[in-house]
Amino acid sequence: MFNRTFEIAGREIGGMAPPLVIAELSGNHGGSLDQALKLVSACKDAGAEAVKFQTYTPDTITLNSTAPAFRVDEAGLWAGRTLYDLYEEAHTPFEWHEALFDHARALGLIAFSAPFDETAVDLLERLDAPAYKIASCELVDVGLIRRVARTGKPVFISTGASSDAELDEAVQVLLENEVRDLSILHCVSAYPTPLSETHLGSLAYLKSKYDIPIGFSDHSEGLAAPLAAVALGANVIEKHVCLSRADGAVDSAFSLEPYELGTLVRQCRDLHKASHDHKTAPLSIEEESLRFKRSLYIVENVRKGEPLTRENIRSIRPAGGLHPRHLDEVLGRSVLDNAPAGTPLTWEMLA
């Protein structure tokens, strides 16, 4: 159905490839193109391989209404604000996109975005975006998903606040429109997400169900959750970034600063090296330790014809003697010649 691995701009996703760390800029540009460009540069300096934008205007994502349904609840990070006001602050203007994409590509970064309506997809197609992200709350927008699918590009989907049935429907739309390169990102749509609510067991569930590259789009504070996700097999990590949380940008409270992003990138790679494969036999680097496996040794001087007992043979380090499983077989047998303590026991020694 879907490919188990795929590429974006030449970068393999899934398989034995290290996890792709995507730096999400969101609205952390603070309304300044110059700030946005600096943030892209900071992501590159930190070692990220990809940057992701969000492509919408307040008018393409909501209505300018003060009705209760159009307000954020009186709790949390954006309490009491209207959706229109929030998205007015957070949006990345369409006219910035070309400069941002050009700058990212000049730095060698993979640049793509999450579109929120068809006009956004049209813009991103003109910029030759190599992939698309379907944001959590847009997972139910089958029309948008269909439009993205028809680009023929790889797709990332975040699962925040979605049911299995909703995710299945979105996946089916992609299949019907011949998308074969898909990565599903486990996500919890709470800002910030408490560590106790990250539900990272979902990674194994998604991998088992879909058998595709899976990942984690994280809104928790710090590095614990994304690093745990890598250890659990995540192929993609998406994390919000800002130049400084002190700037007070719209998503900065749960975003990483550049030095933290650098730590995340390095530790994701280290964890991948440590956990990407399993072990079923001794490794080459364990060769020296093979000498110290336990085996059966003469531990007291034994004279010719004397029987072996639990007092004069034991399982000890190093290797060289019979396997410890043979202890009961050799007890009571005698030796053909004198055997001093420290002699490894072999079958040839026994009468």
Side-chain angles (χ1 to χ4, degrees), residues 48-110:
E49 295 181 77
V51 290
K52 201 209 81 183
F53 309 105
Q54 296 177 354
T55 307
Y56 65 86
T57 71
D59 292 301
T60 63
I61 197 171
T62 192
L63 297 178
N64 191 359
S65 172
T66 59
F70 291 85
R71 286 189 176 275
V72 181
D73 285 343
E74 295 292 334
L77 201 56
W78 310 299
R81 299 185 65 175
T82 67
L83 295 181
Y84 194 92
D85 174 60
L86 180 61
Y87 299 140
E88 174 67 35
E89 177 186 353
H91 83 287
T92 301
F94 278 30
E95 58 268 24
W96 291 7
H97 277 61
E98 184 173 2
L100 289 168
F101 270 69
D102 286 348
H103 183 54
R105 286 168 172 162
L107 294 173
L109 290 166
I110 301 167

Side-chain angles (χ1 to χ4, degrees), residues 191-210:
Y191 310 91
T193 303
L195 197 60
S196 61
E197 294 289 348
T198 50
H199 293 269
L200 294 180
S202 299
L203 295 167
Y205 170 71
L206 291 170
K207 186 69 175 180
S208 174
K209 182 174 181 179
Y210 295 104

Side-chain angles (χ1 to χ4, degrees), residues 211-286:
D211 194 22
I212 59 174
I214 49 92
F216 181 38
S217 180
D218 181 35
H219 300 125
S220 70
E221 297 172 302
L223 305 182
L227 291 175
V230 172
L232 291 169
N235 305 112
V236 179
I237 295 294
E238 182 181 57
K239 191 77 172 174
H240 285 64
V241 294
C242 63
L243 288 175
S244 171
R245 281 188 290 275
D247 290 344
V250 64
D251 292 335
S252 60
F254 54 90
S255 298
L256 298 181
E257 295 184 356
Y259 78 95
E260 295 168 314
L261 176 63
T263 300
L264 176 65
V265 170
R266 290 190 300 273
Q267 293 190 356
C268 280
R269 291 171 182 164
D270 288 345
L271 275 170
H272 174 259
K273 292 175 184 176
S275 62
H276 76 283
D277 201 3
H278 63 278
K279 174 180 178 287
T280 58
L283 303 173
S284 59
I285 62 169
E286 296 176 305

